[in-house]
Every structure is written in structure tokens, then in C-alpha cells.
Amino acid sequence: MEHSGNEAANIAYKVFTFDDKKSKGETLSVSIPEVLDPQYGMYVWPCAVVLAQYVWAHRDDLKGKTVLELGAGVSLPGVVAARCGADVILSDASDKPLCLQNCRRSCEANGLQGVSVLGLSWGEVSPELLMLPKLDVILGSDVFYDPEDFEDVLVTFVSLLRKNPRVQFWTTYQLRSSDWSIQMLLHKWKLNCVQVPLDHFDADESELAGSALPGRHSIQMMIISKKTEEVQEGPDYPAVGPPASSGDLQVESGMCVSACGQQRAALL
């Protein structure tokens, strides 16, 4: 991908290096291009590093799985998933061509040639959405940024559930306001939400992957899925990632659902 002189001058490449504290010597470095642009998706946000750390921690589960990243922007979590052996599809809003271009730029910077980039706008059941292959995991970092988008994000996920009833939505969000909540939306769309403590995947630090992120920002990790009683067991929908258990839940804050299915969802 060639860049004009002015465009190239505005691109800065940031390297993130993930390591395994339990298996010394195993590391992964990825290069992410950031662009000085007013569009939100053109640089790495704190939530993206935390989600990428979760992807790295579960890299063995993702090998050979099909992964879709929503609102990918600079695509750090999706790039890590692809580098770990997943079949990855990157997506961002269809009306943000610069973000889609940066998704491709991130793939190029990391030597990824088999990654698809699609324009998918949240809340729209488009032909591109309907034609997606069967998915195992959906990624989304800080997609719950604007309350006006909360239901559109979940509508997109629910639309994908129709074809992929066992798919999991791995997402991170930044605590910003006690007035923001998705509790009613989870109930409306019959979804479970499990909060994963950051120390379960070595993300409880202010500096991850050799970067200064997430800093002092309060980030939480959760897994959204179809309610257990709604999912039909079957060999075509293998489980990916850790099972939901009461030991993985925190009901005091954040977006989560207790093991018996009672919603305790709030963006705090």
C-alpha cells in the first residue's frame, strides 16, 4: 500500500510486544500504524491493549477459529488474533473509508495477507453481514463508547447469533459514567454477560505489551453470549475460550450476569 507524502508524514508505527509470564521466552510483537486524524479509530485506545492481552492469553483456543472484529479501527486485537493463527475478518463502519484503509495498513505492517476487511455499520443487517462465514469469536474494544450506539452494537451481535448461536463476544470497555447502562438491553435481547477479572489474564497493570497503556484508565473485560438455555448444543458450534463460572464473575461493578442468569449490568 503506497502513501502520499503528507499521509506518510502523519503515520506513526507503534510496536506492542506481548509475552507469557508462565512460559518465558514466548513473545509476540506487532506493529500498529496510528494516524493523526480526528476520527476515533485512527489510534490505539486503552481498551484495545487489554482486549489484545486477553486474545494473547487465549491464543491456543483461537488457532484455526474464525474471528470477526467490530469497529476495528487500527485493529490491534484482530491483528494479534491473526498472528496467533486465527482466521480473522476486520470490520469498521462502511462510511469510514479511512478507518477501513487503516485496517488494511495494519495487516500490511504485520505481513498478514489473508485477512478480509469489510465495511459493517452497527445496527444494519447488510448483505455483507449476512454473507459472513460461521464465526467462533467476535471482538470489540471500546465499542460501548457512545450510549447512542449501545443497542446498535448488540443488534449486530444478535443478528450474528442467528447463524452462530454459540459465538462469544469478547469486549473491553472503559468506565466513564454511572448513568450509562446496558442492563435493559441485555434483558431485551436475551443475552448473558460475564465479567472477567483482569488479573485472570495478566492485564491488571498500567502498562501492557511494552506500552504506556492502559495507564490509569479503568478498563473492564467481559464476554457476552446468548443465554445458556437459548443455545442448542451441537458439533457445529464449538465452545471457544473459558467457560462461564461463578468464580469468573464480579457482580459489584461493570457489566456482568450472575451464574443463575440474573442481570447486573451497568457501565460504572
Side-chain angles (χ1 to χ4, degrees):
M1 181 184 299
E2 297 182 357
H3 316 297
S4 65
N6 291 336
E7 183 183 13
N10 291 331
I11 300 175
Y13 288 83
K14 185 177 292 185
V15 175
F16 296 84
T17 300
F18 300 86
D19 57 23
D20 190 338
K21 294 181 180 180
K22 298 178 182 179
S23 176
K24 294 182 179 180
E26 187 174 0
T27 64
L28 173 68
S29 292
V30 298
S31 179
I32 300 297
E34 297 185 318
V35 182
L36 297 178
D37 188 277
Q39 294 195 51
Y40 294 149
M42 305 301 278
Y43 60 93
V44 177
W45 285 58
C47 281
V49 182
V50 175
L51 182 57
Q53 176 70 22
Y54 188 80
V55 168
W56 167 249
H58 294 281
R59 58 193 179 279
D60 291 338
D61 295 326
L62 291 175
K63 289 181 180 178
K65 303 299 184 183
T66 303
V67 175
L68 168 69
E69 183 173 4
L70 297 175
V74 293
S75 314
L76 175 60
V79 165
V80 172
R83 289 287 305 276
C84 291
D87 295 323
V88 174
I89 303 166
L90 302 175
S91 71
D92 212 310
S94 55
D95 61 350
K96 292 184 178 179
L98 293 180
C99 286
L100 294 172
Q101 182 182 9
N102 217 48
C103 291
R104 299 184 183 95
R105 189 180 288 124
S106 292
C107 292
E108 181 186 67
N110 292 279
L112 299 172
Q113 300 180 354
V115 175
S116 300
V117 177
L118 296 176
L120 296 176
S121 296
W122 302 334
E124 296 181 8
V125 184
S126 63
E128 291 79 7
L129 187 76
L130 296 175
M131 293 177 65
L132 285 170
K134 286 186 177 180
L135 303 170
D136 298 296
V137 172
I138 297 170
L139 302 174
S141 64
D142 219 4
V143 292
F144 293 104
Y145 173 85
D146 188 338
E148 293 184 358
D149 293 330
F150 288 179
E151 185 158 25
D152 285 343
V153 172
L154 292 178
V155 165
T156 297
F157 176 59
V158 170
S159 297
L160 293 168
L161 278 174
R162 294 173 183 173
K163 187 175 182 179
N164 314 275
R166 294 188 64 86
V167 70
Q168 296 180 348
F169 185 14
W170 298 0
T171 182
T172 47
Y173 66 97
Q174 182 175 331
L175 303 180
R176 293 186 173 94
S177 173
S178 60
D179 295 328
W180 296 356
S181 172
I182 63 167
Q183 179 175 359
M184 296 306 297
L185 295 176
L186 292 173
H187 178 74
K188 175 181 178 180
W189 295 106
K190 300 180 180 179
L191 299 173
N192 279 336
C193 183
V194 176
Q195 184 175 316
V196 184
L198 300 187
D199 61 358
H200 284 205
F201 56 102
D202 297 325
D204 55 334
E205 301 176 1
S206 60
E207 298 181 355
L208 296 175
S211 73
L213 298 173
R216 296 184 178 180
H217 299 288
S218 296
I219 310 298
Q220 296 194 2
M221 168 76 205
M222 62 184 181
I223 300 175
I224 300 176
S225 61
K226 198 170 185 178
K227 278 190 176 179
T228 305
E229 62 269 22
E230 300 287 336
V231 177
Q232 297 296 322
E233 298 290 342
D236 293 333
Y237 305 106
V240 176
S245 65
S246 58
D248 288 335
L249 306 183
Q250 291 181 344
V251 298
E252 294 85 359
S253 64
M255 287 189 284
C256 61
V257 172
S258 68
C260 61
Q262 297 177 336
Q263 275 77 15
R264 290 291 302 276
L267 283 168
L268 303 178

